[in-house]
Amino acid sequence: MPLALFFLAWFVAPFLLLVIISLFDTAEFRALGLRQYGKFFTDGYSLGVLWDTLELGFLVTAVCLPLAYALGLVYVAGGPHRRTLILFLIMMPMLTSAVVRTFAWIVILGREGIVNNTMLALGLWGTPVRLLYTWGGLVLALAQIQLPLMALPVINSLLKLDRNIVDAAEALGASRLRRLCTVIVPLTLPGALAGALLVFAASTTAFITQTLVGGGRIVLMPLNIYQQAVGVQDWPFAAALSVVFTVSILVITYVLNAAAQRRMRGIDAA
Amino acid sequence: MRLRPSDLVYEGAVWAVAGFAMLLLLAPTVVVLITSFTGGQTLKFPPPTWSVRWYVELAQSSELIGAGWTSLKLATFATLACGLLGTAAALGIARSRSTTARLLDSLFMSPMVLPAMAFGLALLMVFSVLSVRLSLWTLAIGHVVICTPFVIRMVSAAVQQLNPALADCSFSLGASRWYTLRRITLPLIGRGVFAGCFVAFLASFDHVPVSLFLSDARTEVLPIKLWQILEASLDVRVAAVSGVIVVVTLVGMLLAERLFGLAANVQESR
């Protein structure tokens, strides 16, 4: 298969080379060793950056989850017109360039942006509040940008859900909230997890949004790698950062995936 | 059906969250379009005066137009390669239940989850070790890897809906494999292939992390140019570029929906 060869040469091999380069002790490629990893794990700053990046991924995913479920519930309850409308609302931002969407958030959160101007006009805020270049602004912007990745799998698993089970719960007297919590969400969890993985991965690596909405003060892994590789020209350390970052994402993805599969088997067995 | 007060509260809450999600999804597109017609020098929202001056400035900005052309060329190359390689691969693995096919599928989908920054750096290291000069071609290699998952997803979804008996009929009537592929299989999965290519094109046009490492002064792509402008100053020309991108994407989406049912393909592939 030609694609397999292509991926071997230009995807698998580059990652192997990345690992090899991370094993050089100095930027001059003289001696081999684990110095770069030692540097990473003993340096509070680098560890903090990794932790912040993963935390950002979790926060964005947590914000997306309820939004995606609410959208999905309104979608499946509606007729064909409402469904088409919601699907287009989801696809439109998904297909529009992320730089453009990030730019929109700069306008929305800016000093003279919509939020500040509205709050000032309503007299709720006395002076403009800084929203851009804050952690909260970054989480909200990323949640909007990545929401489609979560909404589509959630809608799909809601569509596949057997209505009879929900009806049975209703006939047995379960309230709507109870039906959602004990029937609908557990049965659609694999879809939500699939979406969560995509949102998590996409928001941790979203260089453009992180640097423009987060600003220079919020340094996350992608900017850290870029600065080490292009700014400082320390390739072995940049490679080590990339390896640690990739492995962290892989481990989290693997754990979530395994959880989803165990869940699926549980449902099949029941 | 008997509605309890708690059910009413629940319905209200679901609709409120869904309404907020829909507003979030729609807001950036609307904000970008409105901002691009500002007569002012800043990104004040709502704009103090109206004008098309930023579109006029954009039409005279050769650097932005040049970057736009580079991005279009790059996305076209990448899409053609992804379409060919991805369709062939999806035909090979979508139906197979063998371990090799499952492994290949995970490999081809992994660029969606692994950090693109790490991949961009890794690819730069490969070209540097091989002493290959960076060009539009080396950039295209990176983009093919990044965009292939979109083609694989949508074509695989189309192949899975294909009735295998059709190909068997064709074989039993004496048609060759190649003839069956051309006259039976490809026409039936064509919509999936076009939808996959459409999304892959937009993904390449929008992609930043890999381009960040692999593009130089001669192959400056549009999203990076926009990022640099926004990092340096909140230039309103970006609003005009964004306005053009939003309108072109919307028109493309509507055309794609008419021609090959984009929404259904996107949905089935999740």
Side-chain angles (χ1 to χ4, degrees):
Chain A
M1 196 178 295
L3 188 63
L5 293 177
F6 189 90
F7 263 63
L8 213 59
W10 302 118
F11 186 68
V12 179
F15 270 106
L16 290 178
L17 183 66
L18 194 71
V19 174
I20 294 172
I21 291 197
S22 75
L23 294 175
F24 280 97
D25 270 359
T26 58
E28 289 80 39
F29 302 106
R30 293 242 170 76
L32 283 169
L34 289 170
R35 215 185 67 111
Q36 306 297 343
Y37 292 96
K39 191 166 145 194
F40 178 86
F41 285 106
T42 49
D43 172 12
Y45 174 76
S46 301
L47 274 175
V49 169
L50 175 66
W51 177 249
D52 284 351
T53 311
L54 299 180
E55 189 189 335
L56 177 74
F58 281 119
L59 281 176
V60 172
T61 313
V63 173
C64 281
L65 253 179
L67 295 175
Y69 262 103
L71 269 179
L73 290 172
V74 168
Y75 176 94
V76 285
H81 286 294
R82 192 202 287 171
R83 288 185 175 193
T84 315
L85 179 75
I86 293 181
L87 205 55
F88 261 87
L89 275 177
I90 293 172
M91 276 172 36
M92 195 173 55
M94 188 175 82
L95 297 177
T96 311
S97 162
V99 187
V100 172
R101 281 180 282 161
T102 301
F103 170 71
W105 279 98
I106 293 175
V107 179
I108 293 171
L109 299 173
R111 230 187 121 73
E112 298 183 298
I114 305 171
V115 180
N116 264 321
N117 276 351
T118 312
M119 296 309 254
L120 287 175
L122 291 175
L124 291 171
W125 290 348
T127 49
V129 172
R130 206 180 56 147
L131 302 165
L132 208 56
Y133 314 133
T134 63
W135 190 247
L138 179 58
V139 171
L140 182 66
L142 270 175
Q144 188 276 333
I145 290 173
Q146 315 297 359
L147 178 58
L149 293 177
M150 173 89 87
L152 287 174
V154 166
I155 285 182
N156 243 5
S157 47
L158 281 171
L159 281 174
K160 282 188 203 138
L161 181 68
D162 186 354
R163 286 302 305 176
N164 289 326
I165 304 177
V166 185
D167 290 345
E170 188 185 354
L172 291 170
S175 70
R176 283 171 194 233
L177 183 62
R178 198 146 169 227
R179 270 177 263 159
L180 178 73
C181 296
T182 58
V183 180
I184 299 177
V185 170
L187 286 175
T188 51
L189 216 52
L193 269 172
L197 286 182
L198 291 176
V199 171
F200 178 79
S203 39
T204 47
T205 195
F207 179 77
I208 291 276
T209 314
Q210 287 172 4
T211 50
L212 291 179
V213 180
R217 248 181 284 177
I218 300 180
V219 177
L220 297 166
M221 280 310 268
L223 179 62
N224 201 9
I225 293 172
Y226 182 71
Q227 284 172 342
Q228 290 299 327
V230 177
V232 187
Q233 295 272 340
D234 186 347
W235 278 22
F237 190 52
L241 287 176
S242 304
V243 170
V244 172
F245 186 32
T246 308
V247 170
S248 321
I249 303 281
L250 270 180
V251 168
I252 292 170
T253 316
Y254 179 80
V255 169
L256 282 178
N257 244 335
Q261 257 158 29
R262 203 166 332 124
R263 179 101 224 162
M264 285 270 263
R265 271 200 296 276
I267 289 168
D268 287 344
Chain B
M1 195 170 67
R2 193 169 50 92
L3 266 182
R4 283 173 275 201
S6 67
D7 285 350
L8 280 177
V9 173
Y10 168 83
E11 282 288 297
V14 167
W15 271 96
V17 178
F20 178 66
M22 288 190 245
L23 187 72
L24 266 186
L25 288 170
L26 190 63
T29 311
V30 176
V31 166
V32 163
L33 283 177
I34 293 176
T35 311
S36 68
F37 289 105
T38 186
Q41 294 279 1
T42 62
L43 297 174
K44 191 173 178 178
F45 196 97
T49 54
W50 303 96
S51 109
V52 290
R53 58 183 280 205
W54 298 106
Y55 283 96
V56 176
E57 289 231 0
L58 170 63
Q60 289 159 353
S61 164
S62 56
E63 39 164 5
L64 278 170
I65 294 176
W69 269 118
T70 309
S71 279
L72 278 179
K73 268 191 280 182
L74 174 65
T76 310
F77 286 150
T79 306
L80 286 175
C82 284
L84 276 173
L85 293 172
T87 305
L91 280 169
I93 58 176
R95 276 273 174 63
S96 169
R97 292 204 155 265
S98 72
T99 320
T100 324
R102 292 305 98 214
L103 279 177
L104 281 175
D105 189 52
S106 315
L107 173 67
F108 297 151
M109 295 311 291
S110 52
M112 286 198 95
V113 184
L114 293 184
M117 288 298 286
F119 171 59
L121 177 63
L123 208 53
L124 174 65
M125 288 170 171
V126 168
F127 291 134
S128 157
V129 166
L130 297 176
S131 338
V132 175
R133 240 167 71 103
L134 294 182
S135 67
L136 201 59
W137 298 106
T138 51
L139 193 52
I141 288 176
H143 277 231
V144 171
V145 170
I146 293 293
C147 302
T148 298
F150 299 103
V151 177
I152 300 254
R153 270 226 163 143
M154 299 212 185
V155 179
S156 293
V159 172
Q160 263 147 14
Q161 287 180 346
L162 197 67
N163 185 350
L166 292 170
D168 291 341
C169 287
S170 170
F171 292 142
S172 69
L173 289 170
S176 67
R177 281 186 155 269
W178 175 239
Y179 187 86
T180 307
L181 177 69
R182 244 177 346 115
R183 300 299 299 267
I184 310 287
T185 312
L186 280 183
L188 286 171
I189 60 164
R191 289 165 158 259
V193 176
F194 281 122
C197 287
F198 180 73
V199 178
F201 183 89
L202 292 174
S204 161
F205 191 78
D206 181 37
H207 187 76
V208 168
V210 168
S211 313
L212 208 54
F213 290 106
L214 296 183
S215 77
D216 53 23
R218 286 166 305 123
T219 55
E220 196 158 51
V221 290
L222 189 60
I224 291 188
K225 185 83 213 162
L226 294 178
W227 173 68
Q228 286 167 344
I229 292 178
L230 284 173
E231 276 258 301
S233 64
L234 297 178
D235 189 332
V236 191
R237 275 184 309 169
V238 175
V241 182
S242 301
V244 173
I245 294 179
V246 163
V247 170
V248 171
T249 310
L250 269 178
V251 171
M253 246 176 86
L254 292 174
L255 275 178
E257 181 61 28
R258 261 288 151 81
L259 294 175
F260 41 84
L262 178 68
N265 277 297
V266 169
Q267 203 181 22
E268 276 151 17
S269 68
R270 295 288 153 167

